[in-house]
Amino acid sequence: MFVLAIGASRHIGYLTSRRLLAEGHTVTFLLRNPSVFDEDPTIQKFVNDGHAKLIKGDATVKSDIQKAFDEARSNGQLDAVIFSVGGTPSFSAFSITKGFVLTPPNLCSFSLYNVLACFPEDIPTVPQPKLIVISSNGLTKTSHNALPLVLKPIFSYALHSPHADKLVMERALFHAANWTWSEKDPNDLTDFLGSDWQENLGGPGYLKEVVVVRPTLLTDGDAKPAKGVYKTSIEEFRHNAYSIPRKEVAHFIVEGLLKNWAEWRGNVVRITG
């Protein structure tokens, strides 16, 4: 399998890519700074044998996304795209009034917007690659209402900025997949993507093979390998959906999602520990 990983220098994208490489797949990484892997012996081993390709570029730059697609399918085949762009909350970027603040504030949404604008067409001789987008639980009003009480202040205050970004990201994706958007449009939609955002994408439904993964609150977990112990659902969790280690989300993507694509395709999948 040939995979393009965007936002995989660390966390879920990185852990997922490592699992794929270990199984013999080829992964092309789009990285703002390819030297991030210079001291990573695991990735370097796969760079040396040709299974890992490192492309310098920025996901917020459309031409860089196009370059990554061109390189990832240079052999004529691209099976999957894993999108896991996201900022890491830092107290240096914490505002008393706004919680954790992303820079830029539309990092995820504009990056995915570029991916959607460059996404290969679905033609009989070259099927469209699968797209897996890592989002978050608690973004929409419906999913926020289903959160455990203790998490609601964290999601509505501390994580307001990154979640506003991901909400816009999901809105663009729902358009591309022609999924029903049952919420009102996000307040930041046109500020983040521009007033003509729909015109710059294909018509609704041009995205054929897609799954959105919404984890609960992410943790680093312990140093042990993933156990494959988690709960998944295409409905909102109603009880005991608190957190999940990133390595378990990566395990689900490789072992549960990609290997059982027909079961999950076309859905928003919630996952918790």
Side-chain angles (χ1 to χ4, degrees), residues 16-267:
T16 301
S17 297
R18 277 187 49 161
R19 296 189 73 94
L20 290 167
L21 289 165
E23 292 189 358
H25 304 295
T26 296
V27 178
T28 299
F29 294 83
L30 177 66
L31 302 162
R32 282 182 294 176
N33 185 8
S35 64
V36 69
F37 290 150
D38 283 356
E39 305 301 321
D40 188 323
T42 300
I43 298 297
Q44 286 301 317
K45 178 182 70 172
F46 295 114
V47 169
N48 293 333
D49 70 16
H51 281 89
K53 301 178 182 180
L54 312 184
I55 306 300
K56 182 176 177 58
D58 186 332
T60 63
V61 178
K62 184 178 178 181
S63 60
D64 286 353
I65 290 289
Q66 187 60 62
K67 177 176 67 175
F69 271 112
D70 293 342
E71 181 62 32
R73 54 179 178 170
S74 58
N75 70 336
Q77 180 179 355
L78 178 58
D79 300 291
V81 177
I82 298 171
F83 181 91
S84 55
V85 171
T88 300
S90 166
F91 282 102
S92 64
F94 186 82
S95 164
I96 294 297
T97 58
K98 298 180 181 179
F100 294 104
V101 178
L102 282 181
T103 303
N106 61 345
L107 173 65
C108 298
S109 55
F110 199 71
S111 296
L112 184 69
Y113 182 62
N114 287 333
V115 170
L116 297 176
C118 296
F119 214 75
E121 295 181 7
D122 185 49
I123 57 178
T125 55
V126 185
Q128 198 174 59
K130 304 173 181 69
L131 175 61
I132 298 169
V133 175
I134 309 303
S135 185
S136 179
N137 194 29
L139 300 184
T140 65
K141 182 178 180 180
T142 301
S143 62
H144 188 273
N145 288 341
L147 288 171
L149 185 61
V150 69
L151 292 182
K152 289 184 177 182
I154 299 174
F155 280 62
S156 59
Y157 168 61
L159 297 178
H160 173 76
S161 176
H163 280 191
D165 183 25
K166 288 190 175 179
L167 186 64
V168 173
M169 176 189 79
E170 285 203 11
R171 178 65 185 95
L173 186 142
F174 270 58
H175 164 82
N178 199 25
W179 293 350
T180 299
W181 184 260
S182 57
E183 309 275 337
K184 71 174 185 178
D185 279 347
N187 294 333
D188 299 308
L189 181 59
T190 56
D191 289 339
F192 283 6
L193 301 184
S195 59
D196 59 348
W197 68 272
Q198 289 184 335
E199 298 171 18
N200 294 324
L201 299 178
Y206 73 91
L207 193 63
K208 303 298 183 184
E209 300 288 334
V210 58
V211 168
V212 176
V213 179
R214 288 182 183 170
T216 48
L217 193 65
L218 291 166
T219 67
D220 289 333
D222 56 31
K224 298 177 182 179
K227 300 175 182 178
V229 178
Y230 38 76
K231 295 178 288 186
T232 56
S233 175
I234 59 173
E235 304 293 338
E236 301 294 348
F237 289 120
R238 296 297 177 184
H239 304 286
N240 301 321
Y242 290 93
S243 64
I244 185 169
R246 293 178 176 88
K247 63 186 176 183
E248 299 296 345
V249 180
H251 182 282
F252 168 68
I253 292 170
V254 177
E255 303 300 329
L257 182 51
L258 285 170
K259 293 181 180 179
N260 300 280
W261 185 255
E263 178 183 350
W264 300 107
R265 65 184 295 270
N267 280 297

